[in-house]
């Protein structure tokens, strides 16, 4: 029983964090068609925000506005200098954003060196839940992710800006014809996308290693999820995270971690082969 | 008093290096409808997209209310008072009919549409439905309604009657004529000559991207039909 | 910038870089002895590069102030060993045949060592410095890192006795160093009468250890032997503590260095033990002097000293000592006199035995993000791999 509950909590935790990690990439790719290879670097910037805030002796929560300010600035610059010239040129964007990724990584390396940075735990200790002691912060994190997704989903479905983004994604020309500034709206979407990546970095920082190269791992995980879940829908993102996280958790528990990782690769390959558009596809 | 709303001089353009329309000149005055007709593929839609700002000009001038708008991006032309109902991808399929009608306004009420709904009650019945579920003709009506209700000086309509039932086409013509009497200008691309005869003040015939015939005569049907069938 | 300007600028930059590396100017000076120091400058292990680079320069200065090797001042050329083995081998070949390096010192993984062995084929002296799985005795190669026989066996035995440990869980990354280390660990565990309750090897890409942690908890292991590397070790240890396991379960690693411990963080480091022949705060006179000089030279914010940089320093000293003893850089002569070479270094007294070093091994425990040495195992034998 105890083993099963732990397993279940691990499954929920991994699916939720994977969805959080992939959210920004899913937004930017699904809505703008931009494969942002620097996605992971924004996660990394978020994690370093926590380090800097704690270094300054401030509370962990300050990292959220700090990370958002940094991601908005970097994202704005990146969109303005690079990405906006390359919309609807997917391969060029891929190369250009990869260049930006290297730049951000090296920049952080120059400022902070390659050393691991330790971020203090937030809410250390465990909570007893259904007879299992589980890390308190993980439970908080899962709750926060659910709140974030509900808020984002509501905003996208109900707000005027969400409506305009949906309109722009569907018909950019018609959107411009009814007075929507698609260039500005694309920039806004891009900035929101990379800011959620930064937020993911803040929330994950107390749990993971922090060094300039962590972005690559997050980019990889996000790829797997988007391959399975398809692009452009929130449902797809959630299903992709659950399929990837669940497969890994189940196979790793029954066999070992190598088998778990292999099964994730296998599923991704099968999806690329048999359902290249993912489970959910609507565009 | 005839005020010039739109003045197009020697306009040429197309897609990148590929020039589709050449050396077009026309003017739309307030209270007037200028129509453009011609066979499929002669550049009518390209011309509309050049005027609306969807495509950049290669050469020529486009003046709107006395100012050049060649460099003005498409979304700003909306604010200047230019409405555009394109030929294809005319509605946002994923959005509801209501969202299609309100997304570009701050208020979400439908007051501005009450008169138009009298003419086209089907739209009111389908407000909550996704626009993608409408028939082709209903989409055209939705697009027409959306453009007409905008507070603009000039309305660009590209093939507004395509797929629309004939009684609704008559209603569209009535709406256009009553709007004209209030001083609005229209630039309409269509192939339905009956519809065009009921609304047009000046008609241009396009072939291979060039103006081949123009008349202010309101009874142009016979002449145009002979020229098209050659 | 125009394309032509770009090409011009990059050519100028390339020429300048080449010049500043000494190819042009040094030709006019006395013939220096070029030593290739191969360290990861890129890739995941590049984290360990900076402090090693610094100590290599310190060692070179020390050697040069004592007259150099065989009367020739040495000059260090750094090569990237963080590349895939085939590319790293190409770099080494270029440095040897092209730039004229006459000896090599390397701090990198075993796969790259294998590739270098194929290039050098015993024709140029090569000192391999990090701790490794043991088992090799190639011509012209001198191994100054710790072997599992030195680092794992005595420390595990001592900890098992002190803490009454019975159930052991082995976790590492999936390559030969963790696997070979664990072969020796398992032998030790059975000698102790303990039980191996789990053995797992992780692909390098894995960053979630939940299923392993659940197994560690379920099996009731009272010691985990960690042979995870770098980032994997950091993530594993952080999650380990967050599940509340750090209060009950002892963790022992032979590659948990000062850097990794910084990443793990003070709150997660309880009951972590690390075994190595050098720690930044070893309290011998030589080690203290070494750390002081390092801080003076590179500042207090310099990359931290650790076992890897400690043994890399020793690598250059080893090269100097053996070459002087042989009176030559010929590998045949060096091989014949290597046995019994002895010197003092920040790690203590080192003595070459079967091309490896007899060394003092320290067992340290983590106090916050610092190590405190709790036990010294003196004169540990590396094992003999040269019999066959």
């Amino acid at each position: 029983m105890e083993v099963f509950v732990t397993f279940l909590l691990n499954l929920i935790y991994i699916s939720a964090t994977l969805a959080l990690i992939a959210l920004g990439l899913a937004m930017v790719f699904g809505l703008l068609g931009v494969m942002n290879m620097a996605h992971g670097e924004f996660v990394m910037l978020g994690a370093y925000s926590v380090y800097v805030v704690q270094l300054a002796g401030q509370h962990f929560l300050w990292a959220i506005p700090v990370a958002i300010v940094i991601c908005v600035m970097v994202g704005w610059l990146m969109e303005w200098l690079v990405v906006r010239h390359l919309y609807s040129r997917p391969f060029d964007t891929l190369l250009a954003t990869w260049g930006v990724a290297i730049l951000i990584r090296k920049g952080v390396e120059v400022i902070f060196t390659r050393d691991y940075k330790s971020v203090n735990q937030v809410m250390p200790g465990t909570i007893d839940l259904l007879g299992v002691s589980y890390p308190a912060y993980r439970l908080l994190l899962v709750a926060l992710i659910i709140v974030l997704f509900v808020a984002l989903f509501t905003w996208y479905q109900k707000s005027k800006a969400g409506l305009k983004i949906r309109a722009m994604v569907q018909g950019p020309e018609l959107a411009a014809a009814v007075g929507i500034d698609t260039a500005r709206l694309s920039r806004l979407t891009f900035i929101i996308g990379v800011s959620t990546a930064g937020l993911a970095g803040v929330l994950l920082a107390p749990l993971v290693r922090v060094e300039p190269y962590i972005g690559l791992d997050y980019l990889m995980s996000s790829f797997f999820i988007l391959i399975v879940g398809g692009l452009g829908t929130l449902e797809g993102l959630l299903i992709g995270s659950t399929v990837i996280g669940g497969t890994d958790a189940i196979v790793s528990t029954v066999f070992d971690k190598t088998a778990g990782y292999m099964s994730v690769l296998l599923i991704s390959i099968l999806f690329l082969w048999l359902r290249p558009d993912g489970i959910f596809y609507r565009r | 008093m005839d005020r010039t709303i739109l003045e197009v001089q020697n306009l040429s353009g197309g897609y990148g290096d590929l020039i589709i329309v050449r050396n077009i000149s026309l003017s739309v005055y307030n209270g007037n409808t200028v129509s453009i007709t011609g066979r499929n593929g002669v550049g009518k839609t390209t011309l509309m997209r050049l005027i609306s700002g969807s495509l950049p000009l290669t050469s020529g001038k486009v003046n709107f209310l006395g100012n050049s708008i060649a460099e003005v991006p498409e979304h700003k032309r909306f604010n200047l008072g230019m409405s555009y109902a394109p030929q294809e991808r005319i509605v946002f399929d994923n959005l509801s009919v209501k969202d299609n009608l309100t997304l570009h306004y701050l208020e979400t009420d439908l007051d501005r549409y009450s008169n138009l709904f009298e003419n086209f009650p089907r739209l009111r019945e389908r407000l909550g439905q996704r626009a993608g579920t409408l028939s082709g003709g209903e989409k055209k009506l939705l697009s027409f309604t959306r453009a007409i209700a905008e507070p603009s000086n000039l309305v660009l309509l590209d093939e507004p009657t395509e797929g629309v039932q004939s009684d609704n086409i008559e209603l569209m013509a009535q709406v256009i004529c009553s709007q004209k009497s209030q001083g609005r200008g229209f630039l309409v691309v269509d192939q339905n000559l009956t519809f065009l005869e009921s609304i047009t003040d000046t008609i241009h015939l396009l072939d291979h991207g060039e103006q081949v015939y123009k008349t202010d005569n309101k009874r142009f049907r016979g002449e145009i039909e002979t020229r098209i069938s050659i | 910038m125009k394309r032509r300007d770009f090409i011009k600028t990059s050519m100028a930059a390339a020429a300048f870089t080449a010049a500043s590396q000494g190819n042009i100017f040094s030709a006019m000076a006395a013939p220096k002895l070029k030593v290739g120091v191969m360290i990861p400058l890129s890739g995941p292990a590049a984290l360990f590069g900076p402090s090693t680079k610094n100590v290599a320069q310190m060692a070179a200065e020390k050697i040069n102030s004592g007259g150099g090797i065989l009367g020739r001042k040495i000059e260090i050329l750094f090569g990237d060993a963080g590349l895939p083995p085939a590319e790293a081998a190409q770099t080494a070949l270029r440095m040897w045949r092209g730039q004229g390096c006459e000896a090599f010192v390397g701090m990198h993984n075993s796969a790259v060592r294998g590739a270098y062995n194929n290039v050098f084929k015993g024709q140029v002296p090569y000192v391999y410095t990090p701790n490794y799985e043991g088992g090799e005795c190639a011509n012209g190669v001198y191994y100054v890192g710790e072997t599992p026989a030195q680092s794992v066996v005595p420390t595990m035995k001592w900890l098992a006795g002190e803490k009454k440990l019975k159930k052991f869980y082995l976790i590492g990354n999936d390559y030969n160093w963790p696997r070979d280390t664990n072969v020796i660990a398992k032998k030790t565990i059975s000698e102790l009468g303990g039980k191996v309750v789990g053995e797992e090897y992780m692909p390098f890409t894995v960053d979630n250890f939940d299923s392993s942690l659940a197994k560690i908890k379920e099996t009731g292991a009272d010691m985990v032997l960690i042979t995870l590397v770098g980032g994997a070790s950091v993530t594993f240890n952080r999650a380990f503590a967050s599940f509340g396991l750090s209060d009950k379960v002892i963790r022992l690693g032979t590659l948990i260095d000062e850097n990794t411990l910084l990443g793990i963080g003070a709150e997660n480091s309880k009951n972590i033990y690390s075994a190595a022949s050098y720690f930044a705060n070893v309290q011998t006179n030589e080690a203290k002097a070494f750390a002081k000089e390092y801080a003076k030279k590179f500042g207090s914010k310099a990359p931290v000293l650790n076992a890897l940089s400690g043994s890399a320093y020793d690598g250059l000293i080893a090269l100097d000592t053996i070459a002087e003893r042989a009176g030559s850089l010929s590998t045949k002569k060096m091989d014949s006199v290597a046995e019994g070479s002895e010197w003092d270094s920040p790690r203590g007294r080192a003595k070459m035995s079967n091309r490896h070093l007899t060394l003092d091994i320290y067992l340290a425990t983590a106090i916050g993000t610092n190590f405190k040495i709790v036990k010294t195992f003196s004169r540990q034998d590396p094992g003999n791999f040269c019999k066959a």
Side-chain angles (χ1 to χ4, degrees), chain A residues 3 10 13-14 114-116 118-121 126 133-135 138 205-209 217 252-253 255 257-258 261, chain C residues 43-44 46-47 200-203 205-206 208 210-211 215 217 230-231 234 238 242-243 259 262-263 265 267-268:
Chain A
V3 174
N10 281 341
Y13 165 78
I14 188 71
R114 274 206 65 144
D115 293 356
Y116 295 119
S118 174
V119 163
N120 297 339
Q121 281 202 21
T126 55
S133 54
Y134 203 74
R138 286 186 176 214
L207 298 170
V208 299
R209 72 178 202 277
D217 294 354
S252 302
T253 305
F255 301 100
K257 197 72 201 179
T258 308
Y261 190 69
Chain C
L47 167 71
E200 261 193 296
Y201 298 97
M202 304 286 167
T205 40
V206 163
N208 179 296
D210 289 356
S211 59
K215 283 175 196 166
K217 207 169 171 182
V234 170
R238 289 184 78 93
S242 81
F243 272 95
N259 239 318
L262 271 178
E267 297 153 303
N268 308 308

Side-chain angles (χ1 to χ4, degrees), chain B residues 121-167:
Chain B
R122 277 193 85 75
L123 290 180
R124 181 153 48 199
E125 290 160 20
R126 307 205 159 192
L127 280 174
Q129 216 167 303
R130 269 186 22 180
T133 62
L134 299 179
S135 74
E138 287 168 337
K139 284 184 186 174
K140 279 286 178 190
L141 280 183
L142 174 57
S143 164
F144 177 78
T145 304
R146 190 265 303 156
I148 292 287
E150 286 167 6
S152 56
N153 304 85
L154 176 71
V155 184
L156 311 177
L157 299 173
D158 195 350
E159 304 270 6
T161 65
E162 200 179 20
V164 179
Q165 291 173 349
S166 57
D167 43 343

Side-chain angles (χ1 to χ4, degrees), chain C residues 277-347:
Chain C
S277 63
Y278 178 77
F279 286 94
N281 69 347
V282 168
Q283 295 300 317
T284 63
N285 289 338
E286 272 209 295
K288 279 200 281 195
F290 176 68
K292 204 171 149 191
E293 197 194 332
Y294 182 82
K296 197 174 120 197
K297 231 174 146 59
F298 301 104
S300 57
K301 288 194 170 167
V304 286
L305 287 170
N306 59 11
L308 292 169
S309 45
S311 57
Y313 183 87
D314 232 7
L316 279 146
I317 306 297
L319 179 69
D320 181 25
T321 312
I322 301 168
E324 291 289 354
R325 200 169 148 118
S328 155
L329 280 168
S330 136
T331 51
K332 272 207 180 105
K333 285 189 183 149
M334 284 175 71
D335 281 357
S336 66
V337 301
E339 189 71 21
S341 299
E342 258 185 293
W343 62 87
D344 287 308
S345 82
R347 302 158 95 194

